[in-house]
Amino acid sequence: APPQQPVNDPMWGYFTTIAGQDGEIDAEELQRCLTQTGISGTYTPFSLETCRIMIAMLDRDMTGKLGFNEFKELFAALSGWKQNFMMFDQDRSGTVEPHEMSQAISAMGYMISPQALNAIIKRYSKAGRIYFDDYVACAVKLRALTESFRRRDQMQQGAVNFQYDDFILCTMSV
Amino acid sequence: APPQQPVNDPMWGYFTTIAGQDGEIDAEELQRCLTQTGISGTYTPFSLETCRIMIAMLDRDMTGKLGFNEFKELFAALSGWKQNFMMFDQDRSGTVEPHEMSQAISAMGYMISPQALNAIIKRYSKAGRIYFDDYVACAVKLRALTESFRRRDQMQQGAVNFQYDDFILCTMSV
């Protein structure tokens, strides 16, 4: 069957413009698109690495590219993160401070110790502040790793016995 | 005591030029330096994300920057990876193919299943090929995650029981 063309969907035209000939969106195309929308709130390009992480999260058919429905799902997730981010970026600088990032992660519902929070925030900071694209990379990874962990923690004991190979598979692909 | 200035070390002048006023090298300075050396073998900038991962690996005093000894250690590690990479990049394209990446990871001594190898290689590929900076990011993460795992696997059973918080700490900071 030919792919469905949702002609009445207002995002379809936008999607096809970005996707180009192959009808799917890769990391470079997503980066251009997100930089143009100005979603990061700064004048710097949106991180290509974050685009790759986001595509890896949604790319269920493992092509490294996004189809139309995956693209819409990504935009919905990004809107949620942007709202969350702006709640903490009170001065509209396009960045949040470490203690605000810490509150934001807690607001997402994760139960993480101060020690782990500090390590995470240090990893995603530039000169002591966190930009939106790094914030998104952090949120996507935290979600993927937590989901991987919970799937294996079937008795909900808060602990999982990992074999080395499974540990590497879980952690290297995000 | 004032910091030691190893005046007889031929890399000291190079280091101070890159490090600038604060006497340490941050991710942006490292990116400029590695792009200028042409170590990637292509004309594109060396990945900033990879620079951040490398600094996180070596930055024992947790400042987000490298001092002189850390910088020398990084150059030694990079030379090793570059040699390893070039062994597999036979046509000097600046990229390796997925099956060559798979051989390279095995050559580093890791015992990883084909399934996990495939997931890793997909994650670090661009249009089906692996560039040097992504290769380095992959090698650094694999080393850091394997070291974290082994430190916890004291009986060398190939398995570790992770609490959620420790799992997140280990995996989110690389």
Side-chain angles (χ1 to χ4, degrees):
Chain A
Q4 270 192 294
Q5 302 207 355
V7 283
N8 293 323
D9 193 313
M11 283 192 81
W12 176 249
Y14 185 52
F15 172 78
T16 53
T17 309
I18 300 162
Q21 285 234 315
D22 67 353
E24 290 204 294
I25 292 180
D26 63 22
E28 278 87 1
E29 288 165 343
L30 184 59
Q31 182 190 32
R32 269 199 301 279
C33 152
L34 293 178
T35 301
Q36 281 165 10
T37 62
I39 194 169
S40 71
T42 66
Y43 292 102
T44 53
F46 196 92
S47 155
L48 181 60
E49 176 66 14
T50 301
C51 291
R52 291 165 79 182
I53 294 169
M54 291 190 295
I55 288 179
M57 170 187 74
L58 285 169
D59 173 33
R60 294 197 194 84
D61 57 357
M62 299 283 271
T63 57
K65 299 177 182 184
L66 299 182
F68 182 56
N69 287 327
E70 293 164 338
F71 177 69
K72 284 206 296 185
E73 211 178 313
L74 177 64
F75 255 74
L78 269 175
S79 308
W81 285 316
K82 184 71 189 181
Q83 280 176 23
N84 194 335
F85 186 84
M86 287 175 70
M87 265 172 45
F88 293 99
D89 177 21
Q90 300 270 354
D91 62 357
R92 295 289 178 269
S93 63
T95 63
V96 297
E97 289 176 44
H99 74 276
E100 295 167 333
M101 178 75 169
S102 179
Q103 291 169 352
I105 292 174
S106 301
M108 293 175 203
Y110 296 105
M111 302 283 278
I112 296 176
S113 68
Q115 191 204 358
L117 272 177
N118 279 344
I120 294 171
I121 290 166
K122 190 170 283 290
R123 170 68 179 78
Y124 290 96
S125 297
K126 280 178 187 141
R129 304 192 65 88
I130 300 99
Y131 289 79
F132 181 61
D133 47 9
D134 291 322
Y135 176 86
V136 169
C138 178
V140 171
K141 280 199 192 179
L142 202 45
R143 192 165 94 174
L145 288 166
T146 301
E147 279 175 6
S148 284
F149 189 90
R150 289 212 180 122
R151 261 200 308 280
R152 287 163 179 79
D153 182 20
Q154 289 175 338
M155 308 292 281
Q156 300 188 25
Q157 298 183 308
V160 170
N161 196 45
F162 275 97
Q163 301 289 316
Y164 173 69
D165 196 68
D166 188 35
F167 176 73
I168 291 296
L169 176 62
C170 263
T171 57
M172 285 292 294
S173 52
V174 294
Chain B
Q4 272 192 293
Q5 302 208 357
V7 282
N8 293 322
D9 193 312
M11 283 192 83
W12 175 250
Y14 186 52
F15 172 77
T16 53
T17 310
I18 301 161
Q21 285 234 314
D22 67 353
E24 290 205 294
I25 293 182
D26 63 22
E28 278 86 2
E29 288 165 343
L30 183 59
Q31 181 190 33
R32 269 200 301 279
C33 153
L34 293 177
T35 301
Q36 281 165 10
T37 63
I39 195 169
S40 71
T42 65
Y43 293 102
T44 52
F46 196 92
S47 155
L48 180 61
E49 176 66 13
T50 300
C51 292
R52 289 164 81 181
I53 294 169
M54 290 190 296
I55 288 180
M57 170 187 74
L58 286 170
D59 172 33
R60 295 197 193 84
D61 56 357
M62 299 284 270
T63 56
K65 300 179 181 182
L66 299 182
F68 182 55
N69 287 326
E70 294 163 339
F71 177 69
K72 284 206 297 185
E73 211 179 313
L74 177 66
F75 254 74
L78 268 175
S79 309
W81 285 318
K82 183 71 189 184
Q83 281 176 23
N84 193 336
F85 186 84
M86 287 176 69
M87 266 172 43
F88 293 100
D89 176 23
Q90 301 270 353
D91 63 357
R92 296 290 179 268
S93 62
T95 63
V96 297
E97 289 177 44
H99 74 275
E100 295 167 333
M101 177 76 169
S102 179
Q103 291 169 352
I105 291 173
S106 300
M108 292 175 205
Y110 296 105
M111 303 283 277
I112 297 177
S113 68
Q115 192 204 357
L117 272 177
N118 280 343
I120 292 171
I121 291 165
K122 190 170 284 292
R123 170 67 179 77
Y124 290 95
S125 298
K126 280 178 187 143
R129 304 193 65 88
I130 299 98
Y131 290 79
F132 181 62
D133 48 8
D134 290 322
Y135 176 86
V136 170
C138 178
V140 172
K141 279 200 195 180
L142 202 46
R143 193 166 94 173
L145 288 166
T146 300
E147 278 176 7
S148 285
F149 189 90
R150 289 211 180 123
R151 260 199 309 279
R152 287 162 178 80
D153 182 21
Q154 290 175 338
M155 308 292 282
Q156 300 188 26
Q157 297 182 309
V160 170
N161 197 45
F162 275 97
Q163 302 288 316
Y164 172 70
D165 196 67
D166 188 35
F167 175 73
I168 291 297
L169 176 63
C170 262
T171 58
M172 285 293 293
S173 52
V174 294

